Every structure is written in C-alpha cells, then in structure tokens.
mmCIF file of all heavy atoms in Angstrom:
data_model
loop_
_atom_site.group_PDB
_atom_site.id
_atom_site.type_symbol
_atom_site.label_atom_id
_atom_site.label_comp_id
_atom_site.label_asym_id
_atom_site.label_seq_id
_atom_site.Cartn_x
_atom_site.Cartn_y
_atom_site.Cartn_z
ATOM 1 N N ARG A 1 86.624 86.574 109.195
ATOM 2 C CA ARG A 1 87.844 87.355 109.106
ATOM 3 C C ARG A 1 88.862 86.934 110.160
ATOM 4 O O ARG A 1 90.068 87.026 109.941
ATOM 5 C CB ARG A 1 87.514 88.837 109.263
ATOM 6 C CG ARG A 1 88.676 89.731 108.946
ATOM 7 C CD ARG A 1 88.372 91.174 109.138
ATOM 8 N NE ARG A 1 87.180 91.559 108.398
ATOM 9 C CZ ARG A 1 86.723 92.780 108.324
ATOM 10 N NH1 ARG A 1 87.348 93.743 108.940
ATOM 11 N NH2 ARG A 1 85.639 93.053 107.645
ATOM 12 N N SER A 2 88.378 86.447 111.314
ATOM 13 C CA SER A 2 89.300 86.062 112.378
ATOM 14 C C SER A 2 90.155 84.861 111.973
ATOM 15 O O SER A 2 91.188 84.619 112.585
ATOM 16 C CB SER A 2 88.530 85.743 113.661
ATOM 17 O OG SER A 2 87.658 84.656 113.465
ATOM 18 N N TYR A 3 89.739 84.114 110.968
ATOM 19 C CA TYR A 3 90.544 83.012 110.457
ATOM 20 C C TYR A 3 91.319 83.399 109.214
ATOM 21 O O TYR A 3 92.455 82.970 109.024
ATOM 22 C CB TYR A 3 89.666 81.804 110.132
ATOM 23 C CG TYR A 3 88.946 81.230 111.325
ATOM 24 C CD1 TYR A 3 87.569 81.325 111.430
ATOM 25 C CD2 TYR A 3 89.649 80.613 112.342
ATOM 26 C CE1 TYR A 3 86.903 80.816 112.519
ATOM 27 C CE2 TYR A 3 89.001 80.101 113.439
ATOM 28 C CZ TYR A 3 87.623 80.194 113.523
ATOM 29 O OH TYR A 3 86.975 79.692 114.604
ATOM 30 N N LEU A 4 90.700 84.174 108.361
ATOM 31 C CA LEU A 4 91.272 84.473 107.054
ATOM 32 C C LEU A 4 92.505 85.372 107.141
ATOM 33 O O LEU A 4 93.534 85.076 106.526
ATOM 34 C CB LEU A 4 90.205 85.111 106.158
ATOM 35 C CG LEU A 4 90.581 85.306 104.710
ATOM 36 C CD1 LEU A 4 90.862 83.965 104.056
ATOM 37 C CD2 LEU A 4 89.465 86.009 103.973
ATOM 38 N N VAL A 5 92.433 86.445 107.899
ATOM 39 C CA VAL A 5 93.549 87.397 107.970
ATOM 40 C C VAL A 5 94.784 86.764 108.610
ATOM 41 O O VAL A 5 95.882 86.841 108.033
ATOM 42 C CB VAL A 5 93.111 88.688 108.696
ATOM 43 C CG1 VAL A 5 94.299 89.602 108.936
ATOM 44 C CG2 VAL A 5 92.043 89.414 107.899
ATOM 45 N N PRO A 6 94.677 86.117 109.788
ATOM 46 C CA PRO A 6 95.877 85.485 110.348
ATOM 47 C C PRO A 6 96.439 84.368 109.457
ATOM 48 O O PRO A 6 97.658 84.202 109.370
ATOM 49 C CB PRO A 6 95.409 84.919 111.687
ATOM 50 C CG PRO A 6 94.257 85.764 112.062
ATOM 51 C CD PRO A 6 93.581 86.082 110.761
ATOM 52 N N LEU A 7 95.562 83.632 108.786
ATOM 53 C CA LEU A 7 96.032 82.580 107.891
ATOM 54 C C LEU A 7 96.816 83.175 106.721
ATOM 55 O O LEU A 7 97.879 82.663 106.349
ATOM 56 C CB LEU A 7 94.857 81.759 107.379
ATOM 57 C CG LEU A 7 95.203 80.585 106.475
ATOM 58 C CD1 LEU A 7 96.038 79.562 107.230
ATOM 59 C CD2 LEU A 7 93.944 79.947 105.947
ATOM 60 N N ALA A 8 96.318 84.263 106.156
ATOM 61 C CA ALA A 8 97.020 84.930 105.059
ATOM 62 C C ALA A 8 98.368 85.470 105.536
ATOM 63 O O ALA A 8 99.381 85.347 104.837
ATOM 64 C CB ALA A 8 96.167 86.057 104.496
ATOM 65 N N LEU A 9 98.402 86.040 106.730
ATOM 66 C CA LEU A 9 99.661 86.544 107.270
ATOM 67 C C LEU A 9 100.639 85.416 107.565
ATOM 68 O O LEU A 9 101.848 85.577 107.385
ATOM 69 C CB LEU A 9 99.406 87.372 108.528
ATOM 70 C CG LEU A 9 98.737 88.719 108.305
ATOM 71 C CD1 LEU A 9 98.398 89.364 109.642
ATOM 72 C CD2 LEU A 9 99.619 89.632 107.488
ATOM 73 N N LEU A 10 100.138 84.277 108.011
ATOM 74 C CA LEU A 10 100.998 83.133 108.271
ATOM 75 C C LEU A 10 101.609 82.594 106.976
ATOM 76 O O LEU A 10 102.804 82.281 106.932
ATOM 77 C CB LEU A 10 100.204 82.039 108.986
ATOM 78 C CG LEU A 10 100.996 80.841 109.468
ATOM 79 C CD1 LEU A 10 102.049 81.269 110.486
ATOM 80 C CD2 LEU A 10 100.071 79.816 110.078
ATOM 81 N N VAL A 11 100.819 82.519 105.928
ATOM 82 C CA VAL A 11 101.343 82.086 104.627
ATOM 83 C C VAL A 11 102.397 83.080 104.136
ATOM 84 O O VAL A 11 103.461 82.687 103.628
ATOM 85 C CB VAL A 11 100.197 81.931 103.599
ATOM 86 C CG1 VAL A 11 100.727 81.750 102.190
ATOM 87 C CG2 VAL A 11 99.296 80.780 104.000
ATOM 88 N N TYR A 12 102.132 84.361 104.309
ATOM 89 C CA TYR A 12 103.097 85.393 103.923
ATOM 90 C C TYR A 12 104.388 85.247 104.724
ATOM 91 O O TYR A 12 105.491 85.344 104.172
ATOM 92 C CB TYR A 12 102.478 86.770 104.134
ATOM 93 C CG TYR A 12 103.409 87.915 103.822
ATOM 94 C CD1 TYR A 12 103.693 88.259 102.503
ATOM 95 C CD2 TYR A 12 104.002 88.653 104.835
ATOM 96 C CE1 TYR A 12 104.545 89.306 102.204
ATOM 97 C CE2 TYR A 12 104.857 89.701 104.557
ATOM 98 C CZ TYR A 12 105.129 90.019 103.239
ATOM 99 O OH TYR A 12 105.982 91.046 102.960
ATOM 100 N N LEU A 13 104.267 85.003 106.037
ATOM 101 C CA LEU A 13 105.444 84.832 106.890
ATOM 102 C C LEU A 13 106.272 83.631 106.441
ATOM 103 O O LEU A 13 107.505 83.710 106.391
ATOM 104 C CB LEU A 13 105.028 84.668 108.350
ATOM 105 C CG LEU A 13 106.150 84.326 109.329
ATOM 106 C CD1 LEU A 13 107.157 85.464 109.398
ATOM 107 C CD2 LEU A 13 105.595 84.022 110.698
ATOM 108 N N ILE A 14 105.613 82.542 106.097
ATOM 109 C CA ILE A 14 106.338 81.360 105.636
ATOM 110 C C ILE A 14 107.100 81.674 104.348
ATOM 111 O O ILE A 14 108.275 81.317 104.205
ATOM 112 C CB ILE A 14 105.365 80.177 105.442
ATOM 113 C CG1 ILE A 14 104.862 79.702 106.800
ATOM 114 C CG2 ILE A 14 106.037 79.029 104.683
ATOM 115 C CD1 ILE A 14 103.714 78.714 106.732
ATOM 116 N N GLY A 15 106.449 82.357 103.437
ATOM 117 C CA GLY A 15 107.113 82.727 102.186
ATOM 118 C C GLY A 15 108.308 83.634 102.404
ATOM 119 O O GLY A 15 109.385 83.418 101.830
ATOM 120 N N ILE A 16 108.143 84.628 103.230
ATOM 121 C CA ILE A 16 109.242 85.565 103.500
ATOM 122 C C ILE A 16 110.366 84.884 104.268
ATOM 123 O O ILE A 16 111.547 85.150 104.029
ATOM 124 C CB ILE A 16 108.716 86.804 104.263
ATOM 125 C CG1 ILE A 16 107.810 87.619 103.354
ATOM 126 C CG2 ILE A 16 109.840 87.663 104.804
ATOM 127 C CD1 ILE A 16 108.489 88.168 102.110
ATOM 128 N N SER A 17 110.021 83.986 105.194
ATOM 129 C CA SER A 17 111.072 83.312 105.963
ATOM 130 C C SER A 17 111.889 82.378 105.079
ATOM 131 O O SER A 17 113.084 82.203 105.292
ATOM 132 C CB SER A 17 110.480 82.560 107.153
ATOM 133 O OG SER A 17 109.633 81.531 106.712
ATOM 134 N N ILE A 18 111.250 81.779 104.078
ATOM 135 C CA ILE A 18 112.001 80.949 103.126
ATOM 136 C C ILE A 18 112.895 81.831 102.259
ATOM 137 O O ILE A 18 114.056 81.506 102.010
ATOM 138 C CB ILE A 18 111.036 80.113 102.261
ATOM 139 C CG1 ILE A 18 110.372 79.048 103.127
ATOM 140 C CG2 ILE A 18 111.760 79.483 101.077
ATOM 141 C CD1 ILE A 18 109.234 78.321 102.441
ATOM 142 N N TYR A 19 112.363 82.958 101.822
ATOM 143 C CA TYR A 19 113.130 83.866 100.972
ATOM 144 C C TYR A 19 114.321 84.474 101.717
ATOM 145 O O TYR A 19 115.415 84.602 101.174
ATOM 146 C CB TYR A 19 112.232 84.981 100.440
ATOM 147 C CG TYR A 19 112.978 86.019 99.650
ATOM 148 C CD1 TYR A 19 113.418 85.745 98.359
ATOM 149 C CD2 TYR A 19 113.264 87.263 100.189
ATOM 150 C CE1 TYR A 19 114.117 86.682 97.626
ATOM 151 C CE2 TYR A 19 113.962 88.215 99.469
ATOM 152 C CZ TYR A 19 114.386 87.917 98.193
ATOM 153 O OH TYR A 19 115.085 88.846 97.485
ATOM 154 N N ALA A 20 114.126 84.845 102.972
ATOM 155 C CA ALA A 20 115.163 85.548 103.737
ATOM 156 C C ALA A 20 115.984 84.599 104.599
ATOM 157 O O ALA A 20 116.565 85.004 105.601
ATOM 158 C CB ALA A 20 114.515 86.624 104.604
ATOM 159 N N TYR A 21 116.044 83.333 104.243
ATOM 160 C CA TYR A 21 116.815 82.349 105.000
ATOM 161 C C TYR A 21 118.264 82.824 105.120
ATOM 162 O O TYR A 21 118.858 83.262 104.130
ATOM 163 C CB TYR A 21 116.736 81.002 104.271
ATOM 164 C CG TYR A 21 117.313 79.848 105.033
ATOM 165 C CD1 TYR A 21 116.658 79.333 106.132
ATOM 166 C CD2 TYR A 21 118.520 79.296 104.654
ATOM 167 C CE1 TYR A 21 117.175 78.274 106.837
ATOM 168 C CE2 TYR A 21 119.052 78.229 105.350
ATOM 169 C CZ TYR A 21 118.382 77.726 106.443
ATOM 170 O OH TYR A 21 118.900 76.678 107.144
ATOM 171 N N PRO A 22 118.838 82.772 106.327
ATOM 172 C CA PRO A 22 120.198 83.300 106.520
ATOM 173 C C PRO A 22 121.262 82.690 105.617
ATOM 174 O O PRO A 22 122.259 83.335 105.323
ATOM 175 C CB PRO A 22 120.493 82.987 107.985
ATOM 176 C CG PRO A 22 119.167 82.951 108.631
ATOM 177 C CD PRO A 22 118.238 82.373 107.593
ATOM 178 N N GLY A 23 121.077 81.480 105.154
ATOM 179 C CA GLY A 23 122.045 80.883 104.235
ATOM 180 C C GLY A 23 122.051 81.562 102.881
ATOM 181 O O GLY A 23 123.066 81.583 102.185
ATOM 182 N N ARG A 24 120.923 82.124 102.502
ATOM 183 C CA ARG A 24 120.806 82.800 101.205
ATOM 184 C C ARG A 24 121.190 84.262 101.288
ATOM 185 O O ARG A 24 121.636 84.842 100.302
ATOM 186 C CB ARG A 24 119.370 82.715 100.694
ATOM 187 C CG ARG A 24 118.966 81.303 100.326
ATOM 188 C CD ARG A 24 117.595 81.276 99.727
ATOM 189 N NE ARG A 24 117.617 82.060 98.492
ATOM 190 C CZ ARG A 24 116.543 82.601 97.949
ATOM 191 N NH1 ARG A 24 115.380 82.443 98.513
ATOM 192 N NH2 ARG A 24 116.618 83.290 96.838
ATOM 193 N N MET A 25 120.975 84.870 102.445
ATOM 194 C CA MET A 25 121.259 86.295 102.610
ATOM 195 C C MET A 25 122.311 86.454 103.704
ATOM 196 O O MET A 25 122.001 86.336 104.890
ATOM 197 C CB MET A 25 119.989 87.059 102.959
ATOM 198 C CG MET A 25 118.895 86.907 101.932
ATOM 199 S SD MET A 25 117.513 87.962 102.267
ATOM 200 C CE MET A 25 117.778 89.195 101.028
ATOM 201 N N PRO A 26 123.544 86.746 103.350
ATOM 202 C CA PRO A 26 124.627 86.785 104.343
ATOM 203 C C PRO A 26 124.534 87.942 105.344
ATOM 204 O O PRO A 26 125.181 87.900 106.383
ATOM 205 C CB PRO A 26 125.892 86.919 103.486
ATOM 206 C CG PRO A 26 125.426 87.447 102.183
ATOM 207 C CD PRO A 26 124.012 86.986 101.996
ATOM 208 N N ASN A 27 123.717 88.947 105.079
ATOM 209 C CA ASN A 27 123.616 90.081 105.999
ATOM 210 C C ASN A 27 122.726 89.791 107.203
ATOM 211 O O ASN A 27 122.699 90.554 108.154
ATOM 212 C CB ASN A 27 123.065 91.311 105.268
ATOM 213 C CG ASN A 27 124.026 91.796 104.205
ATOM 214 O OD1 ASN A 27 125.213 91.524 104.259
ATOM 215 N ND2 ASN A 27 123.497 92.495 103.223
ATOM 216 N N ILE A 28 121.983 88.692 107.172
ATOM 217 C CA ILE A 28 121.046 88.362 108.248
ATOM 218 C C ILE A 28 121.669 87.298 109.146
ATOM 219 O O ILE A 28 122.120 86.256 108.666
ATOM 220 C CB ILE A 28 119.712 87.846 107.665
ATOM 221 C CG1 ILE A 28 119.062 88.921 106.816
ATOM 222 C CG2 ILE A 28 118.779 87.400 108.768
ATOM 223 C CD1 ILE A 28 117.806 88.485 106.099
ATOM 224 N N THR A 29 121.664 87.550 110.456
ATOM 225 C CA THR A 29 122.171 86.560 111.402
ATOM 226 C C THR A 29 121.031 85.657 111.849
ATOM 227 O O THR A 29 119.854 85.973 111.682
ATOM 228 C CB THR A 29 122.799 87.246 112.635
ATOM 229 O OG1 THR A 29 121.775 87.944 113.343
ATOM 230 C CG2 THR A 29 123.901 88.203 112.232
ATOM 231 N N TRP A 30 121.395 84.524 112.441
ATOM 232 C CA TRP A 30 120.381 83.582 112.920
ATOM 233 C C TRP A 30 119.549 84.201 114.030
ATOM 234 O O TRP A 30 118.364 83.916 114.162
ATOM 235 C CB TRP A 30 121.047 82.297 113.410
ATOM 236 C CG TRP A 30 121.463 81.422 112.277
ATOM 237 C CD1 TRP A 30 122.717 81.282 111.766
ATOM 238 C CD2 TRP A 30 120.620 80.588 111.489
ATOM 239 N NE1 TRP A 30 122.703 80.402 110.713
ATOM 240 C CE2 TRP A 30 121.425 79.956 110.526
ATOM 241 C CE3 TRP A 30 119.265 80.307 111.498
ATOM 242 C CZ2 TRP A 30 120.931 79.060 109.590
ATOM 243 C CZ3 TRP A 30 118.757 79.404 110.573
ATOM 244 C CH2 TRP A 30 119.587 78.805 109.632
ATOM 245 N N THR A 31 120.153 85.061 114.844
ATOM 246 C CA THR A 31 119.412 85.718 115.925
ATOM 247 C C THR A 31 118.347 86.646 115.352
ATOM 248 O O THR A 31 117.198 86.629 115.805
ATOM 249 C CB THR A 31 120.377 86.512 116.824
ATOM 250 O OG1 THR A 31 121.408 85.632 117.274
ATOM 251 C CG2 THR A 31 119.661 87.111 117.999
ATOM 252 N N GLN A 32 118.712 87.459 114.395
ATOM 253 C CA GLN A 32 117.749 88.355 113.754
ATOM 254 C C GLN A 32 116.634 87.558 113.091
ATOM 255 O O GLN A 32 115.456 87.914 113.195
ATOM 256 C CB GLN A 32 118.430 89.214 112.691
ATOM 257 C CG GLN A 32 119.364 90.251 113.217
ATOM 258 C CD GLN A 32 120.127 90.936 112.092
ATOM 259 O OE1 GLN A 32 120.383 90.337 111.046
ATOM 260 N NE2 GLN A 32 120.498 92.182 112.313
ATOM 261 N N TYR A 33 116.994 86.489 112.437
ATOM 262 C CA TYR A 33 116.029 85.643 111.728
ATOM 263 C C TYR A 33 115.029 85.033 112.707
ATOM 264 O O TYR A 33 113.821 85.130 112.525
ATOM 265 C CB TYR A 33 116.807 84.557 110.985
ATOM 266 C CG TYR A 33 115.972 83.624 110.152
ATOM 267 C CD1 TYR A 33 115.415 84.047 108.963
ATOM 268 C CD2 TYR A 33 115.782 82.298 110.536
ATOM 269 C CE1 TYR A 33 114.664 83.183 108.178
ATOM 270 C CE2 TYR A 33 115.041 81.433 109.767
ATOM 271 C CZ TYR A 33 114.487 81.876 108.579
ATOM 272 O OH TYR A 33 113.755 81.020 107.810
ATOM 273 N N GLY A 34 115.544 84.439 113.777
ATOM 274 C CA GLY A 34 114.675 83.807 114.764
ATOM 275 C C GLY A 34 113.795 84.792 115.498
ATOM 276 O O GLY A 34 112.606 84.541 115.716
ATOM 277 N N LEU A 35 114.363 85.925 115.903
ATOM 278 C CA LEU A 35 113.579 86.935 116.609
ATOM 279 C C LEU A 35 112.489 87.522 115.722
ATOM 280 O O LEU A 35 111.357 87.733 116.177
ATOM 281 C CB LEU A 35 114.486 88.055 117.130
ATOM 282 C CG LEU A 35 115.262 87.751 118.398
ATOM 283 C CD1 LEU A 35 116.234 88.881 118.712
ATOM 284 C CD2 LEU A 35 114.327 87.519 119.556
ATOM 285 N N THR A 36 112.810 87.768 114.485
ATOM 286 C CA THR A 36 111.819 88.327 113.570
ATOM 287 C C THR A 36 110.655 87.367 113.367
ATOM 288 O O THR A 36 109.482 87.763 113.435
ATOM 289 C CB THR A 36 112.463 88.664 112.216
ATOM 290 O OG1 THR A 36 113.536 89.577 112.434
ATOM 291 C CG2 THR A 36 111.467 89.264 111.263
ATOM 292 N N ILE A 37 110.966 86.099 113.140
ATOM 293 C CA ILE A 37 109.902 85.105 112.954
ATOM 294 C C ILE A 37 109.098 84.939 114.238
ATOM 295 O O ILE A 37 107.865 84.883 114.212
ATOM 296 C CB ILE A 37 110.494 83.767 112.478
ATOM 297 C CG1 ILE A 37 111.003 83.925 111.059
ATOM 298 C CG2 ILE A 37 109.454 82.649 112.552
ATOM 299 C CD1 ILE A 37 111.722 82.721 110.511
ATOM 300 N N GLY A 38 109.773 84.875 115.384
ATOM 301 C CA GLY A 38 109.083 84.700 116.659
ATOM 302 C C GLY A 38 108.150 85.858 116.989
ATOM 303 O O GLY A 38 107.000 85.653 117.376
ATOM 304 N N ILE A 39 108.636 87.076 116.837
ATOM 305 C CA ILE A 39 107.823 88.253 117.134
ATOM 306 C C ILE A 39 106.635 88.335 116.180
ATOM 307 O O ILE A 39 105.517 88.660 116.584
ATOM 308 C CB ILE A 39 108.690 89.534 117.082
ATOM 309 C CG1 ILE A 39 109.669 89.535 118.251
ATOM 310 C CG2 ILE A 39 107.830 90.783 117.086
ATOM 311 C CD1 ILE A 39 110.725 90.609 118.176
ATOM 312 N N THR A 40 106.867 88.014 114.919
ATOM 313 C CA THR A 40 105.778 88.044 113.945
ATOM 314 C C THR A 40 104.716 86.987 114.273
ATOM 315 O O THR A 40 103.517 87.259 114.169
ATOM 316 C CB THR A 40 106.326 87.831 112.521
ATOM 317 O OG1 THR A 40 107.350 88.792 112.278
ATOM 318 C CG2 THR A 40 105.231 87.980 111.488
ATOM 319 N N LEU A 41 105.146 85.801 114.693
ATOM 320 C CA LEU A 41 104.192 84.761 115.081
ATOM 321 C C LEU A 41 103.361 85.191 116.285
ATOM 322 O O LEU A 41 102.148 84.962 116.331
ATOM 323 C CB LEU A 41 104.913 83.453 115.385
ATOM 324 C CG LEU A 41 105.324 82.618 114.184
ATOM 325 C CD1 LEU A 41 106.162 81.432 114.629
ATOM 326 C CD2 LEU A 41 104.113 82.150 113.420
ATOM 327 N N VAL A 42 103.999 85.826 117.255
ATOM 328 C CA VAL A 42 103.270 86.320 118.423
ATOM 329 C C VAL A 42 102.238 87.362 117.997
ATOM 330 O O VAL A 42 101.087 87.330 118.462
ATOM 331 C CB VAL A 42 104.245 86.893 119.470
ATOM 332 C CG1 VAL A 42 103.521 87.660 120.555
ATOM 333 C CG2 VAL A 42 105.083 85.778 120.082
ATOM 334 N N CYS A 43 102.612 88.251 117.103
ATOM 335 C CA CYS A 43 101.670 89.263 116.616
ATOM 336 C C CYS A 43 100.498 88.630 115.871
ATOM 337 O O CYS A 43 99.352 89.067 116.028
ATOM 338 C CB CYS A 43 102.387 90.257 115.703
ATOM 339 S SG CYS A 43 103.543 91.328 116.552
ATOM 340 N N ILE A 44 100.761 87.592 115.090
ATOM 341 C CA ILE A 44 99.688 86.917 114.362
ATOM 342 C C ILE A 44 98.730 86.234 115.330
ATOM 343 O O ILE A 44 97.507 86.298 115.159
ATOM 344 C CB ILE A 44 100.269 85.918 113.336
ATOM 345 C CG1 ILE A 44 100.952 86.679 112.197
ATOM 346 C CG2 ILE A 44 99.188 85.002 112.781
ATOM 347 C CD1 ILE A 44 101.731 85.799 111.236
ATOM 348 N N VAL A 45 99.264 85.605 116.371
ATOM 349 C CA VAL A 45 98.411 84.941 117.366
ATOM 350 C C VAL A 45 97.567 85.965 118.118
ATOM 351 O O VAL A 45 96.358 85.764 118.327
ATOM 352 C CB VAL A 45 99.268 84.094 118.334
ATOM 353 C CG1 VAL A 45 98.461 83.621 119.523
ATOM 354 C CG2 VAL A 45 99.877 82.917 117.595
ATOM 355 N N ILE A 46 98.165 87.075 118.511
ATOM 356 C CA ILE A 46 97.415 88.133 119.201
ATOM 357 C C ILE A 46 96.313 88.675 118.289
ATOM 358 O O ILE A 46 95.175 88.883 118.725
ATOM 359 C CB ILE A 46 98.363 89.253 119.674
ATOM 360 C CG1 ILE A 46 99.242 88.739 120.812
ATOM 361 C CG2 ILE A 46 97.592 90.487 120.106
ATOM 362 C CD1 ILE A 46 100.361 89.689 121.192
ATOM 363 N N LEU A 47 96.641 88.901 117.033
ATOM 364 C CA LEU A 47 95.650 89.382 116.073
ATOM 365 C C LEU A 47 94.499 88.397 115.933
ATOM 366 O O LEU A 47 93.335 88.805 115.884
ATOM 367 C CB LEU A 47 96.294 89.627 114.713
ATOM 368 C CG LEU A 47 95.362 90.063 113.592
ATOM 369 C CD1 LEU A 47 94.791 91.444 113.892
ATOM 370 C CD2 LEU A 47 96.085 90.057 112.269
ATOM 371 N N TYR A 48 94.806 87.117 115.895
ATOM 372 C CA TYR A 48 93.763 86.098 115.789
ATOM 373 C C TYR A 48 92.790 86.196 116.958
ATOM 374 O O TYR A 48 91.576 86.210 116.775
ATOM 375 C CB TYR A 48 94.393 84.708 115.737
ATOM 376 C CG TYR A 48 93.391 83.599 115.948
ATOM 377 C CD1 TYR A 48 92.489 83.256 114.949
ATOM 378 C CD2 TYR A 48 93.329 82.913 117.150
ATOM 379 C CE1 TYR A 48 91.554 82.255 115.142
ATOM 380 C CE2 TYR A 48 92.403 81.913 117.349
ATOM 381 C CZ TYR A 48 91.520 81.582 116.350
ATOM 382 O OH TYR A 48 90.597 80.600 116.552
#
C-alpha cells in the first residue's frame, strides 16, 4: 500500500494538472497552479 496509494495519487495529480492548465482555464493564475501542485506533491511524499 505504501507504493500503490501514492502512485495512484500521483497519476491523479498529473491528470488534474493537465486538465487545469492555466492556458485552458483563465480563472487560474500560474501562482495558484504552481502552489497547488507543489503542496499536493509534498503531501504525497509525506503520505508515502
């Protein structure tokens, strides 16, 4: 489980980050985009 859950969350994060790319969604700024991805990556690493 220590490999499977973080891997699944990482795949989900990649999918969502592609979907919510700031060029496609004008309401999202680059700062919000970067901070959200960064904080989520830190949470995934801690969970691992």
Side-chain angles (χ1 to χ4, degrees):
R1 190 182 307 184
S2 62
Y3 298 112
L4 188 62
V5 173
L7 182 63
L9 289 174
L10 187 61
V11 169
Y12 178 75
L13 173 64
I14 290 170
I16 292 298
S17 64
I18 291 170
Y19 175 75
Y21 188 72
R24 292 185 62 203
M25 302 187 105
N27 295 338
I28 298 175
T29 65
W30 283 101
T31 306
Q32 290 173 330
Y33 182 73
L35 281 174
T36 302
I37 291 175
I39 291 170
T40 306
L41 280 174
V42 168
C43 291
I44 290 172
V45 169
I46 290 170
L47 177 66
Y48 167 74

